[in-house]
Amino acid sequence: MMGFSNFLYFLISLPFLGGMAISLVFMTFSLFSIFKNWNTGKNKELFNGLLISGIFLLITNVFLFIISKIFYYYGYYGNFYLLIVALIVIGLIYFIGNSKEKIYPDNYFSNISNTEFLKREINESINVFISVFNKSKSDFQEKSEAKKAQKFENYNNQNAYNNNNYSNNHNNYNNAGSYNAYNNYGRNLGPAPFRGYVKDDWSFPLYIILSIITCGFYHYYLIYKAAESVNIACAGDGEETSGLLKFFFFGILTCGIYCLFWEFNFMNRTQANAPRYGRNIPDNGGSFLLWMIVGSWLCGIGFFFAWYLFFKNLNAICRAYNMEYANAN
């Protein structure tokens, strides 16, 4: 009976869970827009977008709370953390923004009951966010094209170097197997420049123990070292894994969404760079998110397996980098 009650709870709460997810996504985009466009003459419209997403988040949480009470479901209360963090962030931005220049003109909220006023304000906010989205999309496309051009240039330089190497050492390639291995290598970037050996024996069980003992502080040490190591082992690929400060502060501002984005990109980067060292890493960001989101329903087992994959990828790329220069010496 309890199982059916829980199933019914999830079925009824599903639309509100979807609304909460949409609110969080819009709130994340609002924070991004504020970060990029604050004090450009659109503070009111930008903050309105953040405020609207906060109101929808509050409404969906109220309904979820009511439904959880009806079905005696006690697993809901973890959602309060997201709501509290979101409200704190909105409050901080409001008071910090007002400290320099007023976000809203005098008597602004006295018109809140006017339907036409509300429509106009919402439309203005939507237009601002659409323009921010279009500009961000255009900037992203320009950066992507620049990265492609840079990678293509790196590829041509690498090919020129390899072809020159091949012509100078033609007698070393006497069989088809060696020649094919040479050609396959030429299609990838070469190993990253040596900048000192990196740790390649991270222990997942030890990570769990130390994270518990240090109340989570060891996790942030791992993020700091993982970013440092992968930037060394994957240098020259046109990417840069952000460090601990961005991971920590943007993680708070986005209610943890930036952390997932960081971990997703980290996994993809380690997989993409493995062929530079003649290795294959099967797991990527999709595998990580799949286990974090879907696998977490399995009594939390998915969370642990996702981080096991993270450690596996980290050790694999660091070991490949270390062995490249250990063999050379």
Side-chain angles (χ1 to χ4, degrees):
M1 185 70 179
M2 183 62 72
F4 177 75
S5 177
N6 285 343
F7 172 75
L8 198 58
Y9 164 76
F10 281 112
L11 194 64
I12 294 173
S13 63
L14 195 59
F16 299 104
L17 289 170
M20 185 172 71
I22 293 170
S23 299
L24 287 172
V25 170
F26 185 55
M27 180 172 285
T28 303
F29 181 67
S30 300
L31 289 168
F32 168 78
S33 302
I34 288 171
F35 175 73
K36 298 288 285 185
N37 298 276
W38 195 252
N39 290 332
T40 58
K42 298 293 181 181
N43 289 4
K44 175 170 65 71
E45 289 77 10
L46 291 169
F47 191 80
N48 277 343
L50 183 64
L51 196 60
I52 290 168
S53 62
I55 290 169
F56 273 106
L57 185 63
L58 178 62
I59 291 170
T60 53
N61 271 274
V62 167
F63 276 104
L64 285 170
F65 176 74
I66 293 170
I67 295 168
S68 69
K69 284 294 184 181
I70 293 172
F71 288 92
Y72 301 100
Y73 181 77
Y74 298 102
Y76 159 78
Y77 295 96
N79 293 335
F80 272 127
Y81 167 76
L82 290 175
L83 180 60
I84 291 168
V85 171
L87 293 176
I88 290 172
V89 169
I90 292 171
L92 284 173
I93 292 174
Y94 178 77
F95 287 111
I96 292 171
N98 267 335
S99 65
K100 293 184 178 180
E101 183 181 345
K102 276 190 175 183
I103 296 175
Y104 296 105
D106 294 334
N107 301 321
Y108 178 83
F109 290 102
S110 62
N111 298 314
I112 203 79
S113 58
N114 187 324
T115 306
E116 291 302 318
F117 173 80
L118 282 176
K119 283 181 181 180
R120 185 176 69 253
E121 291 299 302
I122 291 172
N123 283 334
E124 286 179 3
S125 292
I126 289 172
N127 289 335
V128 168
F129 281 103
I130 289 174
S131 66
V132 170
F133 177 78
N134 289 334
K135 185 177 183 302
S136 300
K137 182 181 176 183
S138 176
D139 290 344
F140 177 77
Q141 288 174 342
E142 287 179 8
K143 287 180 180 178
S144 296
E145 291 299 323
K147 282 184 179 180
K148 285 179 183 177
Q150 183 62 45
K151 286 182 179 180
F152 183 72
E153 185 180 348
N154 289 340
Y155 166 79
N156 285 337
N157 291 339
Q158 187 67 38
N159 259 352
Y161 171 79
N162 285 333
N163 287 335
N164 185 52
N165 230 10
Y166 173 72
S167 62
N168 290 337
N169 300 284
H170 181 73
N171 292 332
N172 292 332
Y173 299 98
N174 293 323
N175 56 65
S178 297
Y179 180 74
N180 287 335
Y182 156 78
N183 271 343
N184 288 332
Y185 175 79
R187 293 192 184 98
N188 300 294
L189 288 171
F194 183 66
R195 290 165 53 192
Y197 293 106
V198 294
K199 183 175 173 60
D200 61 6
D201 58 350
W202 292 91
S203 169
F204 180 56
L206 184 62
Y207 160 78
I208 295 174
I209 295 169
L210 289 178
S211 293
I212 294 171
I213 292 173
T214 62
C215 301
F217 282 101
Y218 186 75
H219 172 71
Y220 293 110
Y221 172 74
L222 167 74
I223 295 299
Y224 167 74
K225 295 300 292 182
E228 182 182 66
S229 297
V230 80
N231 281 330
I232 291 173
C234 303
D237 66 344
E239 304 290 336
E240 183 72 20
T241 299
S242 57
L244 176 60
L245 286 178
K246 275 191 176 181
F247 180 90
F248 181 76
F249 288 109
F250 280 100
I252 293 174
L253 289 174
T254 61
C255 305
I257 294 175
Y258 179 81
C259 298
L260 285 175
F261 175 75
W262 187 96
E263 291 146 9
F264 176 81
N265 282 339
F266 181 94
M267 295 289 286
N268 283 343
R269 191 180 183 194
T270 53
Q271 184 192 54
N273 278 269
R276 298 172 67 175
Y277 301 97
R279 306 297 177 87
N280 175 47
I281 295 179
D283 300 300
N284 57 20
S287 309
F288 184 87
L289 286 185
L290 182 67
W291 281 103
M292 282 290 285
I293 297 171
V294 179
S296 61
W297 298 341
L298 306 174
C299 304
I301 296 173
F303 172 84
F304 290 99
F305 193 74
W307 277 98
Y308 163 75
L309 295 180
F310 182 94
F311 274 78
K312 183 180 172 185
N313 279 28
L314 172 60
N315 284 332
I317 197 67
C318 291
R319 193 172 297 122
Y321 166 83
N322 287 338
M323 289 182 67
E324 180 70 27
Y325 291 102
N327 292 337
N329 295 331

